[in-house]
Amino acid sequence: MPTQPDSQAVKDYLMDLQERITDALRATDGGAGFRQDSWERPGGGGGRTRIMQDGMVFERCGINFSHVHGDQLPASASAQRPELAGRSFEAMGVSLVAHPQNPYVPSSHLNVRFFIASKDGADPVWWFGGGFDLTPYYGFEEDVLHWHRNAREACAPFGADLYPRFKAWCDQYFYLKHRDEPRGVGGLFFDDFAEGGFDQAFAFLRSVGDHYLTGYLPIVNRRWAKTYGDRERAFQKYRRGRYVEFNLVFDRGTLFGLQSGGRTESILMSMPPEVSWRYDYHPEPGTPEAALYERFLVVRDWLGEEEGAAST
């Protein structure tokens, strides 16, 4: 008999994950603490939002736990699975976005989530989704290689095919079609994941969630004290505009939250606090800003290139 989905076990894990990440990022910042807002959704459920602003390391860092339920899935969810229209649903997850002060430290994003849709007389339909990705403003190959090695390690116990599959899905998903460029250097993205049954799929979700800090914190600690000036700060603000464009135009989590009546402040906590747009901007050739476009904002097999170079 397959294991039945255990929503309470998932909720307990997600709340603990939020707690552990909060503690780690607070310690890393060493300055500002997190403000917490607990909230309720009129249609059912609620959550707790934790946000740090104007810290020593992080200009804004938001970690949101939400657990919402209702009688009918919102359009953003049922559009992907039209057979679920009319079912009641339960959705829970942890989402995180970190926007550091220093332009040499990349922004990062984590999301892990669980959906279950129910209907009288029918088996529940459930799945996990999520992943993590990295958005640098100035590129460092050692940082990107570390990030992708860590992503591969998260997937390794569950099959050698998962990392290349979910790395490619991440590259495809976090792509700004109207700009014809990736949002960053990728990571992992998966959705509608139920492979191996509930216990196996839940274990994979936990591995992804638990690998976020081991991927991100070494990069933060390596870069946060690096000296920068107005030029680097201006470029960071310009590139942050791409983050805003993606979240408001393409991001499924943002659309689901808004369409399901979630708390707007919590949904939009992912926005960077200071952003700029320039008309028809192109960096000067040969500059570090140009290198970001040429070497990092391109889809690459980072680990394959590294291993190929090592074998020659």
Side-chain angles (χ1 to χ4, degrees):
M1 290 286 292
T3 306
Q4 290 299 305
D6 186 344
S7 297
Q8 187 60 50
V10 179
K11 182 176 181 179
D12 291 345
Y13 168 74
L14 292 172
M15 294 185 75
D16 178 68
L17 179 66
Q18 186 194 36
E19 200 71 38
R20 287 185 283 124
I21 292 177
T22 299
D23 291 345
L25 294 181
R26 181 190 294 117
T28 297
D29 187 88
F34 280 90
R35 164 186 169 178
Q36 175 168 302
D37 290 331
S38 296
W39 51 274
E40 294 184 1
R41 174 178 171 268
R48 61 186 189 189
T49 295
R50 292 175 176 171
I51 190 158
M52 175 196 298
Q53 298 196 101
D54 299 320
M56 291 177 59
V57 175
F58 298 105
E59 189 171 3
R60 173 177 290 167
C61 182
I63 313 172
N64 190 44
F65 166 78
S66 62
H67 178 203
V68 302
H69 50 83
D71 295 331
Q72 186 168 325
L73 278 164
S76 62
S78 58
Q80 303 295 320
R81 302 280 288 269
E83 73 275 14
L84 301 182
R87 285 181 176 244
S88 62
F89 77 95
E90 189 178 0
M92 63 185 76
V94 166
S95 57
L96 177 156
V97 175
H99 292 295
Q101 298 273 9
N102 193 317
Y104 289 111
V105 183
S107 291
S108 70
H109 162 253
L110 164 74
N111 178 256
V112 281
R113 57 187 180 270
F114 176 63
F115 285 85
I116 184 166
S118 304
K119 188 176 183 179
D120 290 341
D123 290 336
V125 178
W126 58 268
W127 65 87
F128 292 99
F132 46 61
D133 64 287
L134 193 71
T135 306
Y137 306 100
Y138 289 88
F140 298 93
E141 293 217 2
E142 65 176 316
D143 294 350
V144 182
L145 289 170
H146 166 77
W147 180 257
H148 278 280
R149 288 191 207 105
N150 181 72
R152 184 169 62 184
E153 288 170 8
C155 299
F158 305 92
D161 67 312
L162 289 193
Y163 168 73
R165 277 172 55 197
F166 295 157
K167 188 267 185 194
W169 199 347
C170 187
D171 290 337
Q172 181 184 40
Y173 180 73
F174 290 104
Y175 197 86
L176 287 85
K177 300 176 184 66
H178 60 286
R179 298 285 191 182
D180 194 25
E181 67 182 39
R183 186 172 83 172
V185 295
L188 300 174
F189 181 86
F190 62 100
D191 206 358
D192 298 322
F193 185 78
E195 294 175 18
F198 177 80
D199 287 348
Q200 181 82 348
F202 183 26
F204 175 67
L205 181 91
R206 296 196 304 270
S207 185
V208 172
D210 294 346
H211 274 80
Y212 168 74
L213 290 174
T214 56
Y216 189 48
L217 289 188
I219 299 172
V220 175
N221 291 329
R222 191 181 294 140
R223 306 293 172 198
W224 76 268
K226 185 175 173 63
T227 302
Y228 66 91
D230 292 343
R231 167 181 166 167
E232 291 83 3
R233 180 69 169 158
F235 186 64
Q236 177 196 48
K237 291 181 182 180
Y238 172 73
R239 289 299 312 170
R240 282 175 171 179
R242 300 293 204 265
Y243 215 98
V244 172
E245 290 175 20
F246 181 87
N247 279 19
L248 294 181
V249 176
F250 298 112
D251 188 69
R252 291 182 195 170
T254 302
L255 297 175
F256 176 86
L258 295 173
Q259 291 179 3
S260 62
R263 182 173 183 260
T264 301
E265 286 297 313
S266 297
I267 296 163
L268 298 182
M269 71 174 188
S270 62
M271 298 303 172
E274 293 191 25
V275 189
S276 68
W277 279 266
R278 304 185 212 173
Y279 181 77
D280 199 27
Y281 166 76
H282 300 280
E284 291 291 326
T287 62
E289 293 80 10
L292 180 75
Y293 290 84
E294 294 162 2
R295 294 167 49 198
F296 294 90
L297 295 182
V298 291
V299 175
R300 291 173 57 179
D301 179 8
W302 290 94
L303 300 185
E305 291 176 20
E306 179 194 30
E307 290 160 2
S311 65
T312 57

